[in-house]
Amino acid sequence: MNSEELFKISKTITPGGVNSPVRAFEPYPFFVKEAKGSHIKDIDGNDYVDHCLAYGPILLGHSDDDVMKDVYAQMQKGTAYGAPTENEVKLAQEIIDRVPCAEMVRFVNSGTEATMAAIRLARGFTGRDKIVKFEGSYHGAHDYVLVKSGSGAACLPDSLGIPVETTQNTLSVPFNDVDAMTKLIDEEGENIACIIVEPVMGNIGCVEPNVKFLKFLREITEENDIVLIFDEVITGFRVSRGGAQEYYGVKPDLVTFAKILGGGFPIGAYAGKKEIMEMIAPNGKVYQAGTFSGNPISVQAGLSTLKKLDYVFYGELARKGDFLRDNMKDIVEDLNLDLQVVGLASMFQIYFNPEPVLNYEIAQKSDTKRFLVYFRELLKNGVFIPPSQFECNFISGAHTEEDLVKTSEAIEAALKVAWEK
């Protein structure tokens, strides 16, 4: 059975034929057979250089031998206990050692769960109800933050099934806009429990903060007793050993993790100042629980992964990122295309947009139709990226120079076809 046949069946038993909407693309998504290192293979016999990497978690490469060995050993001991394990303590200690703001850690099962719990904790700590997110930011599929971007003031739900009342305390401002944030704090500061921000906006492509913007957020939240939450589900352990807060030198009150923390297995966590974290049950009155929180398989995978992520690893990964982005910039210049090549560390993207992308409003002006032509051409040339202009592309430690050269050549060929359309 091939991908087209499987998709026809899947559409009759799974909504849209997929288990997450970002996996869908026309005419049908390929179905994966296996993945190893920097490559992923589909059931149709195609082999791709993988720059989707499960939307970020696969930092070492698929099925890293050392991680798989440790996970297999743990599986022989059991898959879930409903009781604490020594490895939970070790993984928490590893996070605290790496992450500047982390004084205590609570494990959960996903990034969505982590951000939901962190927001609840901030509300419990401050006794305030309103939260601030940035237009275009994605903090998981829970009701507080699944709201329309660009609406300013109180946001309307971005999905059926979410009561308007649930999001009436969610405020939204443009990313990188100091004036808009200052105005909002002047009007609502005493009512705001937290500001939650992706330090690098990885869910509208890849938008870095302007110089000093994160430091401004730190200053204004401290002045107004607002909890600052960094959503590092994407940037955590990817842009540096201690995440974006180490990379940019800004220390939030709370931070959320997932993706890389699980080493290819599902996990989430939130961490931060002890005085805030101690309000979580059973110590405090902010309730959060989960049957699979601290799952021994995921914890072992995360522990085995983080132990391999030292400064030498990040230096080499940054070199690979610079190599690919420089190639992409040269290609865009040689073809005389008015596009934006963006990224940092092991993250990259091309915006089909003549204007530098600083926020969601500008990102929305990108030519998504032309991007999809580009995406399909990359597939034809053996390179897999997320099928959206508004997702980020990634590099793993397993990518070789040969992989990156192939990716560069595929990008050049894909851009030429996209610009003919």
Side-chain angles (χ1 to χ4, degrees), residues 67-81 265 295-298 300:
V67 175
M68 292 300 99
K69 179 181 177 181
D70 291 344
V71 166
Y72 181 76
Q74 172 57 49
M75 289 175 65
Q76 310 312 302
K77 302 174 185 177
T79 59
Y81 307 128
F265 288 79
N295 175 265
I297 304 298
S298 296
Q300 178 61 70

Side-chain angles (χ1 to χ4, degrees), residues 261-274:
L261 180 61
F265 288 79
I267 200 172
Y270 56 117
K273 290 182 177 179
K274 188 173 183 179

Side-chain angles (χ1 to χ4, degrees), residues 204-224:
I204 57 170
C206 186
V207 178
E208 288 193 73
N210 279 339
V211 177
K212 299 182 179 179
F213 181 69
L214 295 180
K215 291 182 179 180
F216 159 74
L217 291 182
R218 177 66 286 182
E219 292 168 0
I220 202 167
T221 49
E222 287 181 336
E223 291 169 0
N224 291 273

Side-chain angles (χ1 to χ4, degrees), residues 167-420:
T167 58
Q168 65 184 357
N169 289 315
T170 301
L171 310 175
S172 180
V173 292
F175 189 62
N176 278 326
D177 193 327
V178 170
D179 292 339
M181 178 57 73
T182 301
K183 182 175 184 293
L184 180 62
I185 296 297
D186 287 343
E187 294 172 351
E188 295 280 3
E190 63 183 14
N191 302 313
I192 295 172
C194 66
I195 294 175
I196 184 167
V197 58
E198 294 178 272
V200 177
M201 293 193 71
N203 285 287
I204 57 170
C206 186
V207 178
E208 288 193 73
N210 279 339
V211 177
K212 299 182 179 179
F213 181 69
L214 295 180
K215 291 182 179 180
F216 159 74
L217 291 182
R218 177 66 286 182
E219 292 168 0
I220 202 167
T221 49
E222 287 181 336
E223 291 169 0
N224 291 273
D225 298 319
I226 296 168
V227 175
L228 179 60
I229 304 172
F230 274 13
D231 178 353
E232 295 220 44
V233 167
I234 290 178
T235 56
F237 314 114
R238 176 165 285 282
V239 299
S240 76
R241 183 177 181 275
Q245 58 188 270
E246 178 188 59
Y247 188 90
Y248 291 108
V250 179
K251 185 177 174 181
D253 300 302
L254 296 175
V255 59
T256 61
F257 296 115
K259 294 188 184 290
I260 289 165
L261 180 61
F265 288 79
I267 200 172
Y270 56 117
K273 290 182 177 179
K274 188 173 183 179
E275 65 175 315
I276 303 177
M277 295 294 292
E278 284 191 325
M279 293 195 69
I280 303 169
N283 277 11
K285 296 183 177 180
V286 176
Y287 192 75
Q288 182 273 317
T291 298
F292 284 97
S293 296
N295 175 265
I297 304 298
S298 296
V299 167
Q300 178 61 70
L303 190 60
S304 299
T305 297
L306 291 192
K307 284 184 175 180
K308 300 185 75 168
L309 306 183
D310 57 18
Y311 287 112
V312 174
F313 176 88
Y314 286 105
E316 177 63 17
L317 201 60
R319 186 195 66 78
K320 293 177 182 180
D322 289 340
F323 175 80
L324 181 57
R325 285 187 296 271
D326 287 345
N327 283 356
M328 293 165 68
K329 290 173 184 176
D330 289 343
I331 291 166
V332 168
E333 183 177 350
D334 290 345
L335 296 177
N336 195 28
L337 302 177
D338 203 0
L339 305 176
Q340 310 301 317
V341 176
V342 299
L344 71 158
S346 58
M347 303 166 66
F348 69 97
Q349 180 59 291
I350 288 182
Y351 282 105
F352 283 68
N353 194 324
E355 186 178 355
V357 179
L358 303 176
N359 55 42
Y360 178 65
E361 182 181 4
I362 299 173
Q364 286 292 99
K365 298 176 183 177
S366 302
D367 189 337
T368 56
K369 291 183 179 179
R370 204 178 290 271
F371 178 88
L372 287 177
V373 175
Y374 165 77
F375 162 75
R376 293 191 185 100
E377 289 301 313
L378 285 180
L379 276 186
K380 291 178 183 178
N381 286 281
V383 173
F384 176 46
I385 65 170
S388 171
Q389 171 72 97
F390 307 116
E391 294 287 348
C392 191
N393 309 321
F394 303 99
I395 300 169
S396 76
H399 280 85
T400 65
E401 184 169 324
E402 182 182 357
D403 289 327
L404 300 180
V405 169
K406 178 175 180 177
T407 297
S408 301
E409 292 172 348
I411 286 173
E412 181 172 16
L415 287 175
K416 288 178 179 178
V417 174
W419 230 252
E420 292 172 356

